[in-house]
Amino acid sequence: MPAFDPRSVPVAGIDTHLPAVPLAAQTPEALRERFARTMEWTPEVVLERSFTDRAPAHAAVLVPIVLRERPTVLLTERTAHLSQHSGQVAFPGGRADPGDADAAATALREAWEEVGLEARFVEVLGALPTYVTGSAFIITPVVALVQPDCVLRPNPYEVADVFEVPLDFLLDPAHHQRHRLQWEGAEREWFAMPYADGDKERYIWGATAGMLRNFYRFMIAA
């Protein structure tokens, strides 16, 4: 899609009628138990409308839950010069390499390359269903617990900033905005989860917000 400011698109709705994930379900023990279970659930967002004709590419992102007293999710702001999703909020991650054993290996390698997160600080819990972006990336979100004493070394070429958002904020649909836009004769929809980080707004939207919405659906499923 052409460059545009997603903040300028009016909010079509907010799901204040949906329940938040209970705090008791967000502890490390509860998260481990959740991913160890086999259960039926349906992701809400799995495929964006395509806006490219290039061949699909597999990728993976790390959804890093930092084990603070109030758990957080570590996110990045991409640098402005990148060809894909420049300036946007994203999980650490990227395209799979032939040498990667699986999606978790891709996510861990990319997290190391982008933000300097060492694998020894990471406990992989499992993966969410793939999410296909409009730019033809087939993304596997790999959810993991991260020790809070890890030392990050962001790659300045790819990462403009690294920050954390409380997990309970992201797992509360009262903070999930729905947006719609008509473009080239088709209606496009996406979620946004703006977060006030001091005097700065962290505007989480698009694929990152869609994967977080699926994480919410996974966590709230019976």
Side-chain angles (χ1 to χ4, degrees), residues 198-218:
D199 59 356
K200 186 170 185 178
E201 181 188 65
R202 306 293 190 175
Y203 198 76
I204 306 163
W205 75 288
T208 302
M211 287 182 273
L212 284 167
R213 177 69 171 202
N214 287 343
F215 188 27
Y216 163 76
R217 288 296 188 186
F218 169 74

Side-chain angles (χ1 to χ4, degrees), residues 2-34:
F4 78 108
D5 183 359
R7 298 170 179 82
S8 68
V9 179
V11 176
I14 301 176
D15 291 335
T16 53
H17 62 287
L18 294 176
V21 174
L23 293 179
Q26 301 180 39
T27 66
E29 296 77 13
L31 287 163
R32 291 187 185 101
E33 190 277 334
R34 190 74 175 173

Side-chain angles (χ1 to χ4, degrees), residues 66-134:
V66 185
L67 296 178
R68 305 198 185 280
E69 184 175 353
R70 183 186 183 191
T72 62
V73 174
L74 187 148
L75 292 160
T76 71
E77 180 184 324
R78 294 168 62 82
T79 51
H81 68 269
L82 294 175
S83 60
Q84 293 285 341
H85 312 296
S86 60
Q88 293 186 15
V89 171
F91 296 115
R95 187 190 299 259
D97 279 354
D100 294 336
D102 52 24
T106 298
L108 290 171
R109 176 183 55 75
E110 286 284 341
W112 164 249
E113 293 175 0
E114 287 187 9
V115 299
L117 176 59
E118 297 180 60
R120 64 190 178 96
F121 292 106
V122 182
E123 176 188 347
V124 172
L125 297 179
L128 298 174
T130 56
Y131 183 104
V132 183
T133 69

Side-chain angles (χ1 to χ4, degrees), residues 160-188:
D161 199 4
V162 178
F163 61 97
E164 298 175 29
V165 178
L167 178 62
D168 56 43
F169 176 91
L170 296 169
L171 295 182
D172 183 349
H175 303 135
H176 299 180
Q177 300 177 352
R178 294 177 179 271
H179 295 261
R180 297 190 185 95
L181 174 70
Q182 290 288 333
W183 183 65
E184 292 193 344
E187 185 175 75
R188 298 180 181 270

Side-chain angles (χ1 to χ4, degrees), residues 47-71:
L47 178 66
E48 297 179 352
R49 285 184 178 272
S50 176
F51 52 83
T52 181
D53 57 2
R54 72 174 182 80
H58 286 275
V61 297
L62 193 69
V63 183
I65 300 172
V66 185
L67 296 178
R68 305 198 185 280
E69 184 175 353
R70 183 186 183 191

